[in-house]
Amino acid sequence: MKRHLYTADHEQFREVVREFVARAVAGNLQRWDRDRLIDRDVWLAAGKQGVIGLSAPEEYGGAGQHGDYRYRNIVLEEFAKVHATALASSFSLQDDIAIPYVTALGTAAQKRRWLPPMASGERIGGIAMTEPGTGSDLRGVRTSGRKVDGGWVVNGAKTFITSGINADLVITVVRTAPEGGSRGFSLLVVERDMPGFTRGRKLDKVGLHAQDTAELFYDDVFVPDENVLGELGGGLKQLAGLLPLERLSIAAHAVAVATAVLADTLAYTNERHAFGQPIADFQNTRFELASMATEIDVTRAFVDQAILAHGEGELSVVDAAKAKLFASEMQNRVIDRCLQLHGGYGYMLEYPVGRAFQDARIQRIFGGANEIMKEIIGRDLVGRR
């Protein structure tokens, strides 16, 4: 079935991304995995090439494509082809979460100050929600902000923070009114060199080894009033309003990765012989490949429509949850079956399918665990808020 998502302009941009991947990404993947860190040079190179900053407005040095996620989707697709999963996830945080938060909620002064270096890759953004004692339940956040003259004194700890080591600007969920209920939380931008703000361990994860995920600590960190992002006390509402884009990003990434892994597996089953014939000649193999190709194509059709709906300002919280839920589950199913078709070699990390198997598991957890996606969808179905 012909895909109608992209225009000629999008395909021209794809060539730019392909050149960037060949020059600055493909040859560094093993080193980044070994170092457990993506060096900042690739961020700067991406900024110069226009591969990041896509969602930032043009007047602040970006591409001004926040409403057209097709450009971001091309980045995800081209990164997936070389299995640059950790880099794709890191760039998604920048372009699909951090920059949109500043763009949507920031004052004119904040945008002038933060967006240009974020669009150029000079400054890396992060968002700190999760705490050691809380996961998807953000109402349980205990990191606190005490009002003082000119700002807030923040104390607390966060964990599982993507780009936690590299991040220069960390949008932090802080309880600013202990008795305020859902209105008791605000978003405060904590900057790298603020006294009392420290990084803990770079966490050793099941997958996404090159991506720096860390603990963060706030010990009497003074955050000036000009670093309050959006409405004071409106943190949870603001987070809810921007989560659909994050979940669309996860869904789009899932489709891109599953497509790439299936392509690798198709090549492998044609090249690998058993019992005197290519593995692809066995009926079970063909049935597995057919089932996976169908799952991917059907999921892609829904995600493509979600991408277009986002561009029209019509992507609902429920539809974003459906995309994230189904695409991430599909990704894990497909990669598991592809690994099985590789046999023992699939269990070796020298083969991309093994690394993809490790990397895919988090997709069902971050951006809101899939159980939360089911709750969102289920509540909508039965008419509950």
Side-chain angles (χ1 to χ4, degrees):
M1 186 178 296
K2 187 175 180 180
R3 194 180 185 193
H4 297 282
L5 185 64
Y6 300 119
T7 68
D9 287 345
H10 295 108
E11 295 300 342
Q12 288 178 1
F13 177 68
R14 188 185 299 277
E15 294 304 315
V16 172
V17 179
R18 281 178 178 163
E19 190 278 330
F20 170 77
V21 168
R23 175 174 48 82
V25 175
N28 292 313
L29 294 174
Q30 289 186 356
R31 177 171 61 83
W32 292 337
D33 271 350
R34 185 174 61 249
D35 294 345
R36 296 298 197 260
L37 191 69
I38 297 167
D39 59 59
R40 297 180 72 104
D41 289 347
V42 74
W43 289 82
L44 296 172
K48 290 179 181 176
Q49 199 78 25
V51 175
I52 59 171
L54 294 170
S55 61
E58 291 184 72
E59 60 266 35
Y60 300 110
Q65 298 296 343
H66 173 68
D68 190 349
Y69 196 78
R70 290 174 291 183
Y71 289 97
R72 279 285 302 127
N73 202 48
I74 285 170
V75 174
L76 293 174
E77 289 175 345
E78 294 305 313
F79 280 20
K81 290 175 183 176
V82 298
H83 304 286
T85 312
L87 184 65
S89 184
S90 297
F91 279 15
S92 290
L93 173 64
Q94 185 89 338
D95 248 324
D96 301 336
I97 303 176
I99 289 176
Y101 271 70
V102 176
T103 300
L105 304 174
T107 65
Q110 288 172 337
K111 293 175 186 178
R112 287 194 300 269
R113 180 180 168 197
W114 292 327
L115 287 177
M118 293 177 80
S120 69
E122 296 173 70
R123 303 191 82 177
I124 297 172
I127 185 160
M129 302 185 201
T130 307
E131 297 185 359
T134 66
S136 297
D137 180 16
L138 292 179
R139 294 175 189 270
V141 163
R142 300 180 65 182
T143 297
S144 63
R146 176 171 53 86
K147 189 71 179 79
V148 297
D149 288 344
W152 299 81
V153 174
V154 177
N155 283 280
K158 302 288 185 179
T159 194
F160 307 147
I161 306 307
T162 302
S163 296
I165 299 298
N166 274 335
D168 303 293
L169 304 167
V170 180
I171 301 167
T172 305
V173 181
V174 177
R175 184 184 287 271
T176 50
E179 307 303 325
S182 63
R183 298 284 301 172
F185 302 91
S186 303
L187 304 181
L188 275 57
V189 179
V190 179
E191 301 187 55
R192 172 177 288 279
D193 296 325
M194 287 180 170
F197 177 49
T198 57
R199 328 274 167 147
R201 296 178 299 145
K202 182 168 61 175
L203 300 172
D204 192 12
K205 309 186 298 295
V206 170
L208 296 177
H209 293 145
Q211 184 191 75
D212 54 311
T213 304
E215 301 169 318
L216 303 179
F217 299 101
Y218 306 78
D219 185 11
D220 286 339
V221 181
F222 175 73
V223 181
D225 284 328
E226 54 264 32
N227 280 34
V228 175
L229 186 63
E231 178 189 358
L232 190 66
L236 295 188
K237 182 179 179 181
Q238 291 162 176
L239 290 171
L242 290 162
L243 277 173
L245 176 57
E246 179 181 359
R247 290 166 182 164
L248 174 63
S249 172
I250 294 168
H253 191 202
V255 174
V257 170
T259 301
V261 172
L262 179 60
D264 285 352
T265 303
L266 182 59
Y268 178 84
T269 56
N270 273 298
E271 295 165 2
R272 180 73 174 172
H273 284 64
F275 302 102
Q277 63 182 5
I279 296 172
D281 286 350
F282 291 100
Q283 185 185 63
N284 178 71
T285 302
R286 294 197 301 272
F287 279 12
E288 286 290 280
L289 293 170
S291 295
M292 290 187 287
T294 302
E295 279 201 65
I296 293 171
D297 284 352
V298 172
T299 308
R300 183 187 295 111
F302 185 87
V303 173
D304 281 359
Q305 288 303 306
I307 288 170
L308 294 175
H310 169 72
E312 296 167 358
E314 296 177 355
L315 179 62
S316 69
V317 170
V318 173
D319 284 342
K322 289 177 180 177
K324 192 268 183 184
L325 169 64
F326 196 84
S328 62
E329 296 284 353
M330 177 278 295
Q331 176 189 6
N332 277 264
R333 285 194 304 271
V334 165
I335 292 174
D336 182 70
R337 293 158 81 180
C338 285
L339 190 152
Q340 188 72 17
L341 288 175
H342 279 74
Y345 289 103
Y347 203 62
M348 300 296 108
L349 291 180
E350 64 189 89
Y351 278 78
V353 68
R355 299 193 299 276
F357 182 82
Q358 291 178 317
D359 293 344
R361 188 58 183 83
I362 190 60
Q363 291 271 90
R364 293 158 60 189
I365 298 173
F366 63 12
N370 279 3
E371 289 74 17
I372 300 297
M373 300 304 102
K374 292 176 183 177
E375 182 70 7
I376 292 169
I377 299 162
R379 282 178 174 268
D380 180 69
L381 288 171
V382 300
R384 304 289 189 270
R385 293 185 62 185

